Amino acid sequence: MSTEALKKPLPFPVAGSPPKQRPTLDAEQQKKYDWLLEQVKGWAEIPSTHGKAGPLTDSEKFWLTKECLLRYLRATKWNQQDAEKRLLKTLTWRREYGVEDLTADHISPENETGKQILLGYDKEGRPCHYLNPGRQNTEASPRQVQHLVFMVERVIDIMPPGQETLALLINFKQSKSRSNTSPGIGLAREVLDILQHHYPERLGKALIINMPWVVTAFFKLITPFIDPHTREKLKFNEDMSQYVPTEQMWSEFSSGKLAFEYDHSQYWPALQELCKERREARWQKWVAGGKQIGESEDYLAGATAAGVGSATEKPAAAPVATPAVEAKTAEVTTLEAVPAVPAN
């Protein structure tokens, strides 16, 4: 009996794929975090050379979570002054680039062939972000970079409690219509600059397959622009089932067994609805917690009952470990992640 392939994103990881526990801050790290938090709370204005200077908005305060500040501290090797400078630069960039103004309708033409797909989670609960250069359907333009930024923001929307990194899966399988699908050096450097400076500590793994010689040469060219810590996360032509459960790995990628067919008319609105639902739930939690700068992402994701502004704040529970979440995860795995089950 023939069955339909999955055509929508998967909302949860498989059971037993919890993120690694975050390390506890030592006394010196806690002191540096406290200093940075007080500096951020005291910011009177976000600088801009494009006429967009002004006080912090609620959405920017919402973005400035405890874990966000810690990501910048780790990225600067715990130099709190450098972390503050980088945070300010990112907030300026987000305003001037218009990150929050990028809409699904504007980005939609870039994704009509499924050249970027958010599908499934790896063995540590990281959302899997597939890049399929062979499905390229547009010429180089600013919107191509906006497309990546938009999709990274959507990856962040669907991260489960306790997870703050993503798994990037790149398949350089050649297209029948385009022989050279690697981006130009200028475009690649712009993307790398954005990811390294404005999304620090977000890459968990980068799994790359089907590298033709031209792409291998391309990676050699851009390697000097990739920091050593990031290079350690790159895995080339390995058995990717080491990192991603085969039942949630697209069958077009490595040893994946998930039958998935990209249908833009179904996938794109389903992805936007899922992300909107998760984002709005976090926003409501943030408002209920008193709109705190430095709010806990675990609280926003529903893993803890109280936020940083509560006197009864409790330590974060182990992600994806409560019976309710395990049951829901198992249910989704059974109903949606098995290839034999229809997508709708």
Side-chain angles (χ1 to χ4, degrees):
M1 182 176 67
S2 62
T3 57
E4 293 183 40
L6 181 72
K7 295 183 180 179
K8 296 181 180 180
L10 293 168
F12 298 102
V14 299
S17 299
K20 288 183 178 179
Q21 288 288 96
R22 297 190 186 98
T24 302
L25 300 184
D26 62 31
E28 184 64 22
Q29 290 170 340
Q30 185 65 53
K31 181 179 178 181
K32 291 181 176 182
Y33 170 76
D34 292 340
W35 179 90
L36 181 59
L37 178 61
E38 288 307 307
Q39 295 300 117
V40 171
K41 286 181 175 179
W43 286 345
E45 184 173 279
I46 302 303
S48 172
T49 57
H50 293 69
K52 294 188 177 183
L56 278 172
T57 64
D58 273 359
S59 64
E60 290 166 340
K61 294 176 183 178
F62 175 65
W63 180 79
L64 287 162
T65 62
K66 176 182 179 179
E67 288 75 17
C68 175
L69 271 59
L70 288 172
R71 284 191 288 273
Y72 279 76
L73 281 166
R74 293 196 302 270
T76 56
K77 297 180 171 56
W78 295 91
N79 183 315
Q80 64 263 46
Q81 287 84 9
D82 286 350
E84 182 187 15
K85 291 176 184 176
R86 283 191 60 174
L87 274 166
L88 271 172
K89 285 183 179 179
T90 292
L91 281 172
T92 297
W93 171 80
R94 289 178 68 86
R95 282 191 182 190
E96 295 178 350
Y97 195 80
V99 172
E100 294 179 11
D101 299 325
L102 296 175
T103 66
D105 286 345
H106 173 67
I107 299 299
S108 178
E110 293 290 340
N111 214 65
E112 287 179 352
T113 56
K115 65 188 180 189
Q116 292 193 42
I117 299 170
L118 309 188
L119 182 69
Y121 298 76
D122 76 3
K123 292 184 176 181
E124 293 183 13
R126 300 184 185 98
C128 292
H129 183 178
Y130 288 85
L131 301 185
N132 305 292
R135 297 185 174 215
Q136 182 59 265
N137 63 320
T138 61
E139 298 302 322
S141 71
R143 193 172 63 180
Q144 283 192 349
V145 181
Q146 293 171 347
H147 181 204
L148 182 64
V149 170
F150 180 84
M151 294 299 276
V152 170
E153 291 286 321
R154 303 293 74 78
V155 172
I156 293 168
D157 286 339
I158 63 173
M159 285 180 177
Q163 184 55 263
E164 53 186 315
T165 63
L166 62 90
L168 195 62
L169 287 76
I170 309 176
N171 186 355
F172 280 102
K173 182 179 179 180
Q174 292 295 297
S175 166
K176 293 180 181 180
S177 59
R178 295 177 67 127
S179 59
N180 182 10
T181 56
S182 58
I185 295 296
L187 194 66
R189 289 185 66 176
E190 181 180 359
V191 167
L192 283 171
D193 181 77
I194 288 173
L195 294 179
Q196 290 190 30
H197 290 94
H198 304 306
Y199 294 93
E201 300 292 306
R202 284 297 195 182
L203 179 65
K205 281 281 187 296
L207 315 177
I208 306 162
I209 64 171
N210 293 323
M211 297 254 304
W213 72 267
V214 66
V215 177
T216 301
F218 167 73
F219 265 90
K220 287 181 179 179
L221 284 172
I222 67 171
T223 295
F225 306 108
I226 305 176
D227 67 70
H229 182 56
T230 300
R231 285 201 295 269
E232 292 176 1
K233 301 174 183 179
L234 304 179
K235 306 296 179 183
F236 296 94
N237 294 318
E238 293 189 16
D239 176 7
M240 300 311 178
S241 64
Q242 298 176 76
Y243 310 107
V244 184
T246 55
E247 64 266 41
Q248 286 209 349
M249 191 195 308
W250 190 13
S251 57
E252 287 198 13
F253 195 96
S254 190
S255 54
K257 296 179 180 178
L258 176 59
F260 173 81
E261 177 186 340
Y262 189 78
D263 181 334
H264 191 66
S265 66
Q266 292 192 49
Y267 179 89
W268 195 244
L271 175 65
Q272 308 316 317
E273 184 60 31
L274 175 63
C275 293
K276 179 182 177 182
E277 177 185 304
R278 300 281 172 86
R279 197 164 54 248
E280 289 185 350
R282 284 180 166 90
W283 178 267
Q284 292 303 322
K285 293 279 288 184
W286 183 68
V287 172
K291 296 186 175 182
Q292 300 286 329
I293 293 176
E295 185 57 271
S296 161
E297 290 179 6
D298 287 329
Y299 164 71
L300 297 178
T304 56
V308 297
S310 171
T312 59
E313 182 188 4
K314 301 175 183 179
V320 199
T322 64
V325 175
E326 287 283 8
K328 182 63 177 176
T329 301
E331 175 189 349
V332 171
T333 301
T334 302
L335 296 179
E336 297 188 70
V338 179
V341 177
N344 298 319

